[in-house]
Amino acid sequence: MGYLLKDRVGCVDEFLDVPQRVARGGTALAPDAVTELMTRRAHSSPDALTPREREVLHLMSEGHDTTTIGRTLVITERAVSKHIGNVFLKLGLPPSDSGHRRVPAVLACLQHT
């Protein structure tokens, strides 16, 4: 399993090592993502999500954007945005300066499974 933030791939050698490490069965998680997860861990409750919110979160975990999620689930982008907002709310992920709420949401999903 690997998850890196795009602003954390400045070191080419480290970035190129990640797929090889994951292929060997290792993991690669952005330090910022892990910190965010650990900080908000007490608030994470994926069980509180509706089936649709879980579908949206699953597609987010695959890296899909709002438009693609909407097309996949045959719902509007506005509906997707509303579901994403509900996921953030239920997982205790208020807006932050970093703007990376999708990362801790996905990590909460991964941790729960």
Side-chain angles (χ1 to χ4, degrees):
M1 169 179 55
Y3 195 96
L4 298 176
L5 300 173
K6 61 185 167 191
D7 59 334
R8 299 285 297 187
V9 294
C11 178
V12 175
D13 291 335
E14 183 179 329
F15 176 71
L16 293 176
D17 177 60
V18 168
Q20 295 170 3
R21 188 174 348 136
V22 171
R24 291 190 305 265
T27 60
L29 294 172
D32 296 344
V34 173
T35 301
E36 186 72 21
L37 173 64
M38 298 313 290
T39 302
R40 305 203 184 269
R41 186 176 186 178
H43 300 290
S44 298
S45 180
D47 290 330
L49 302 178
T50 66
R52 179 61 91 185
E53 291 163 353
R54 284 191 185 128
E55 288 177 310
V56 169
L57 181 56
H58 176 76
L59 291 168
M60 284 172 42
S61 74
E62 292 178 348
H64 298 294
D65 62 12
T66 303
T67 303
T68 304
I69 293 170
R71 285 186 194 141
T72 302
L73 299 177
V74 193
I75 58 177
T76 65
E77 287 183 43
R78 185 173 181 202
V80 173
S81 295
K82 185 173 180 170
H83 290 306
I84 290 171
N86 288 339
V87 168
F88 293 155
L89 181 66
K90 290 180 180 180
L91 295 180
L93 302 170
S96 66
D97 292 338
S98 70
H100 296 293
R101 291 193 297 169
R102 285 188 178 212
V103 173
V106 168
L107 290 174
C109 176
L110 292 173
Q111 180 184 25
H112 190 267
T113 57

